[in-house]
Amino acid sequence: MSLIWSKNDGPERPMGREIPRNCGQLLGRLDELLPFLYVAQYGAPGRALRAQRTVSHPGLFAVGEQTQGDRPGIAPRVGLILPLRLCRNEKTRAALLEIAPLIGSQDPLMLADERRLVQSKLDAAFGGNLTVSDKERLDGFFALEPRRGLFQQLHEEFDYVTAVIDNPAGEVRVTESSRFPWRSHGELLEWYHGLGNGRGNAWAPFVPFFVFGNTAALTRYCTDRWAHAGLTAPAEDPSKWFVIRPDLHDADVGVRLEMGEYGWAYLHLILGATAVKIWLSQVFDPFDELVAWGRKIEEGDIPVQMEIDEEGAEKVLTVLRTDDSNRVLFRVAEKYADDIQLEGIVSRAALAASLKAELRRFFSSEFDPNHWDEEEADEDYVQTRDRVLNHPWMVAA
């Protein structure tokens, strides 16, 4: 089973290089690991994706899930990998290895039988300690519901991967593994949050996944976004071909930011009577680009465009020239889809001023670093609030 490369990586494969790692995002193909149980958390903080070595807590590997549905894309997970081949109980291993061939029916009438057969194999392996959720879609990467005795059995029968040789252009090779040491979910949570991985007072649970496919790497796209290389100058230039109708007035423009939890915030953009809500992810932190985008608008350095990755869907925010340098065409669209969600003529100064004012308000009174910033950051890491509020454009009147 091969890793699915992100659509954002372009046509060229990454250069081959061997990367020893005991944590962080796996970039190579996972053939040697599949199938595996993945005891992981939904989402992943930026440091969990960027990390390569840890002294005290090896084995926290990030794997992307290729998601479908209304928000297709790549969803990062971070957790512990338990390859079935490292299971010490032959009966358990044999039952679990029979699951993947049962999944994949295209006949809706067969789906109930498929779920029943998968559950029977889980029962044979875990005796009722692991069940299929009624709401979970069965594919190559699906979540399961644990019962109380699961972690004790994992401790008795499974090893987990603690070190690998990664290769973005090749396969991931396991170099070290260790016995799964946690006898309960609580023990695992205490170990994990001892790293400072808690968000506020909430401890997100670990979820067991069964993985035999649908994996994906964020790879170079992540790196580009963390480098804040997301601003572009689109070739589109309506000022060359059109003039604004004399009776067309500027639409009222509004910007509102809202703090969420566990690495999420929300950007509300309003144009006249139409509004759109954009999910902002800490994994693809957009705030530096948002500030740079606003500065270019204020200075008239347009056209300018930025993308916001919602951990799946991507929104494209575009500002284009018109025949009047003080008025711009503002557009919000869904990337890879013919879906314009906002579009209208607005005052260039009003758009820039609304964004700057809301960034100041949000980071002065509402932004919660406990739900966004890295708690174990590198020495040169600058907190998001400080980066935004101390930016020259934000400091200027």
Side-chain angles (χ1 to χ4, degrees):
M1 184 66 64
S2 297
L3 189 75
I4 300 173
W5 298 94
S6 167
K7 64 185 177 184
N8 300 302
D9 286 335
E12 296 183 1
R13 291 288 183 89
M15 293 181 61
R17 65 188 191 282
E18 292 195 341
I19 307 171
R21 67 167 72 247
N22 64 3
C23 62
Q25 183 189 185
L26 297 177
L27 304 178
R29 298 192 305 274
L30 305 183
D31 302 55
E32 184 178 325
L33 299 174
L34 296 169
F36 59 84
L37 295 177
Y38 191 34
V39 183
Q41 291 191 332
Y42 287 101
R47 66 180 176 278
L49 298 176
R50 294 191 293 268
Q52 183 175 336
R53 300 293 300 177
T54 177
V55 174
S56 58
H57 293 80
L60 283 174
F61 292 108
V63 176
E65 177 185 0
Q66 190 88 6
T67 61
Q68 306 298 326
D70 58 346
R71 297 183 67 188
I74 300 170
R77 314 282 183 234
V78 62
L80 306 164
I81 296 174
L82 289 66
L84 299 191
R85 66 179 181 81
L86 297 182
C87 176
R88 296 183 296 277
N89 185 312
E90 183 177 348
K91 179 182 176 182
T92 300
R93 182 173 65 252
L96 294 176
L97 287 172
E98 293 177 358
I99 289 178
L102 299 174
I103 295 174
S105 173
Q106 301 300 313
D107 185 352
L109 298 178
M110 299 295 292
L111 294 180
D113 289 338
E114 185 178 282
R115 302 180 81 84
R116 178 181 56 79
L117 290 171
V118 169
Q119 186 60 61
S120 70
K121 300 303 179 184
L122 290 172
D123 290 342
F126 292 104
N129 284 323
L130 200 57
T131 61
V132 178
S133 170
D134 292 336
K135 298 181 180 179
E136 187 72 11
R137 173 181 174 177
L138 297 187
D139 54 20
F141 199 132
F142 61 94
L144 296 161
E145 294 184 354
R147 297 292 184 265
R148 186 172 182 177
L150 173 65
F151 282 83
Q152 179 64 36
Q153 186 172 351
L154 294 180
H155 168 72
E156 294 173 355
E157 299 182 0
F158 282 84
D159 288 358
Y160 74 108
V161 176
T162 56
V164 301
I165 298 295
D166 198 1
N167 188 336
E171 295 185 6
V172 176
R173 303 198 318 272
V174 177
T175 56
E176 296 179 27
S177 61
S178 181
R179 181 173 181 171
F180 191 86
W182 304 278
R183 293 178 170 85
S184 69
H185 188 207
E187 288 184 3
L188 176 57
L189 285 172
E190 289 178 353
W191 173 80
Y192 178 72
H193 291 290
L195 293 172
N197 288 315
R199 292 289 188 181
N201 294 320
W203 282 12
F206 277 82
V207 177
F209 295 85
F210 190 90
V211 182
F212 64 92
N214 285 19
T215 57
L218 298 166
T219 60
R220 290 180 301 183
Y221 181 62
C222 269
T223 304
D224 290 344
R225 294 307 300 267
W226 288 323
H228 308 295
L231 294 186
T232 59
E236 186 179 1
D237 187 358
S239 68
K240 292 182 178 180
W241 313 107
F242 303 100
V243 295
I244 301 174
R245 286 197 336 256
D247 61 339
L248 182 62
H249 300 291
D250 292 341
D252 293 330
V253 61
V255 180
R256 183 170 67 87
L257 287 160
E258 174 189 359
M259 191 67 214
E261 295 181 317
Y262 314 123
W264 288 102
Y266 311 99
L267 172 63
H268 302 267
L269 296 171
I270 304 99
L271 204 59
T274 306
V276 62
K277 178 181 179 180
I278 301 175
W279 293 52
L280 309 181
S281 166
Q282 182 259 1
V283 175
F284 301 108
D285 186 340
F287 286 115
D288 291 310
E289 290 166 289
L290 201 57
V291 170
W293 184 72
R295 182 178 191 173
K296 283 183 173 292
I297 295 170
E298 182 179 280
E299 295 175 349
D301 187 7
I302 55 176
V304 63
Q305 180 173 283
M306 69 170 289
E307 299 175 4
I308 297 178
D309 193 314
E310 301 176 291
E311 293 191 21
E314 296 177 45
K315 296 293 191 300
V316 182
L317 280 58
T318 307
V319 174
L320 300 172
R321 296 190 189 97
T322 71
D323 62 307
D324 184 339
S325 62
N326 295 315
R327 307 174 74 187
V328 295
L329 176 64
F330 176 39
R331 176 191 299 151
V332 178
E334 190 88 25
K335 192 174 183 180
Y336 306 117
D338 187 17
D339 182 15
I340 295 178
Q341 300 182 343
L342 277 183
E343 187 174 55
I345 300 297
V346 301
S347 162
R348 178 172 59 80
L351 175 59
S354 296
L355 176 60
K356 179 186 285 189
E358 180 58 12
L359 284 167
R360 284 173 172 167
R361 182 207 67 79
F362 176 71
F363 280 100
S364 297
S365 62
E366 186 176 345
F367 177 74
D368 184 351
N370 291 323
H371 286 279
W372 193 272
D373 281 312
E374 301 184 12
E375 298 180 13
E376 288 193 343
D378 298 331
E379 292 183 1
D380 59 351
Y381 178 78
V382 180
Q383 299 291 311
T384 307
R385 176 187 284 127
D386 294 335
R387 292 201 318 269
V388 171
L389 293 181
N390 293 326
H391 189 279
W393 181 62
M394 295 295 295
V395 173

